[in-house]
Amino acid sequence: MSQPITVAPPTSSSRWTYLDQIRKVPGPFSEDHDNSEDALARLETMSVLVIGAGGLGCEILKDLALSGFKKIHVIDMDTIDVSNLNRQFLFRQADVGKSKAEVAARFVEKRVKGVSITPHNCKIQDKDEDFYMQFTAVVCGLDSIEARRWINATLVGMVDYPDNPESLKPLIDGGTEGFKGQSRVVIPTMTSCIECQLDMHAPRAAVPLCTLATIPRQPEHCIEWAHIMAWEQEKPFPKLDNDDPEHITWLYKKALARARDFNITGVTYSLTQGVVKNIIPAIASTNAIIAASCCNEAFKIATNSNPGLGLEDNYMMYSGNEGIYTYTFKHEQKDDCPVCGTIARNMEIDPNWTLQELIESMAARPEAQLKKPSISSGSKTLFFQSPESLMLKTRPNLEKRIGELLENGEEIAVSDPSLGSVDFKFRLRFSKPYAPAPKHGVTE
């Protein structure tokens, strides 16, 4: 009778053997490979911040822990919802309602011995520069452009180079949408930052109401018609609740009937829910691929074992729609970037607009995308959103025309609370001559 085979648990030294093959042995692309004990210990002593503990963040936390990082912090303000469980694999049914950051941290600590993960259940804006200064690198797994812009502006603003080299914090950013994804590395002030690349994330164009009302061509048009027009006309419930299945079902049936009238196929309950709630489809395999790329860049920064995204090729795109395809390229830094640039960015506007119209346009402009901007020039405060006393004092300017308030070619400073303390610099270029409004009682 054969004896049962026993397998000894891995020792602490053998646990990371696969990493030592990379850390200790120079590769064909290694340039300044350092396999000294101090260099090898850097992976275990450096502190990394992960922003986001959702679908991408869960993968990033797991990958960092299995790559030898021992000191990790994670920040996320959200709690776990039952809809998260299909792709955010660190969570279980019993975790619904609990903090994502705290549950994810405890799960990874339990599975990977020796790693320490500190959770922060709050907004990234709740932390000051001293908090971010303690990290060697920041890895983002966010689904929000606003949050990316805020952390990007914060890290760029912290740089005091060359006087304080430690103030330079590489930002590794990942993002996914369906079968597509991207990872990029930002070396603040030295390479293209997220604000330089903002035009790649332009707001989606709104569908004209006339299209929804008369000639819908896509299933999404039928759903938007039900959402915007049919609901307003019929008011089946006092107030639309996007999370109420009964409300979504009503919209789905309305959209389906309209689609049939125009011979349009593709209206489903899940699509209706996605359009109404503006849900971007998340696929677990895409999250895994992009998280692996982000953590690979963090590993290369920590060990200098191979060249990574950075000063040269700094942007990696992935497409899994038809096969698997990736490519990298260098996104150029812009001299007129509002965050890391050195000159004001030109903005062409109609001088006959009111200041209110200029402010409203900034939400849709790809180069701005600001939601609550405050505007000043070198000589005057035009409009401030806060404090309330200053807002009341500057509110009369909203009805004045741009040509009345500013000169062609004048520079303005624009701030937005979602972007921290950064002031965007824009130089106004009038698209046409200013035509002053005739004064009351004066005739030609």
Side-chain angles (χ1 to χ4, degrees), residues 17 21 97 107 159 172 175 194 207 223 256 266 297 326 328 343-344 354 369 371 380 394 427 435:
T17 298
Q21 298 301 317
F107 191 104
V159 175
I172 305 167
I194 288 177
V207 179
I223 296 169
L256 186 62
E297 295 306 318
T326 66
T328 60
I343 62 175
T354 64
Q369 298 186 40
K371 295 186 176 180
K380 61 177 79 76
T394 57
R427 189 171 302 280

Side-chain angles (χ1 to χ4, degrees), residues 247-277:
H247 294 196
I248 298 297
T249 299
W250 188 92
L251 293 173
Y252 162 61
K253 290 180 178 179
K254 280 289 178 180
L256 186 62
R258 184 166 180 80
R260 287 170 179 162
D261 290 342
F262 288 88
N263 296 318
I264 297 172
T265 60
V267 174
T268 64
Y269 180 90
S270 60
L271 181 63
T272 303
Q273 191 176 40
V275 170
V276 172
K277 299 180 69 173

Side-chain angles (χ1 to χ4, degrees), residues 105-170:
R106 300 292 84 84
F107 191 104
V108 175
E109 283 184 333
K110 183 179 179 181
R111 294 295 295 270
V112 185
K113 301 301 180 184
V115 65
S116 173
I117 303 180
T118 304
H120 303 274
N121 184 26
C122 62
K123 298 179 181 179
I124 56 174
Q125 293 87 348
D126 293 340
K127 300 295 186 180
D128 56 19
E129 286 191 4
D130 290 338
F131 172 79
Y132 294 106
M133 194 66 75
Q134 66 181 298
F135 303 106
T136 305
V138 177
V139 186
C140 286
L142 292 163
D143 59 1
S144 164
I145 297 299
E146 289 77 13
R148 284 186 174 94
R149 296 175 72 186
W150 189 92
I151 190 63
N152 172 75
T154 298
L155 295 182
V156 171
M158 285 167 44
V159 175
D160 182 21
Y161 190 85
D163 293 339
N164 180 14
E166 296 298 320
S167 65
L168 198 67
K169 311 294 182 183

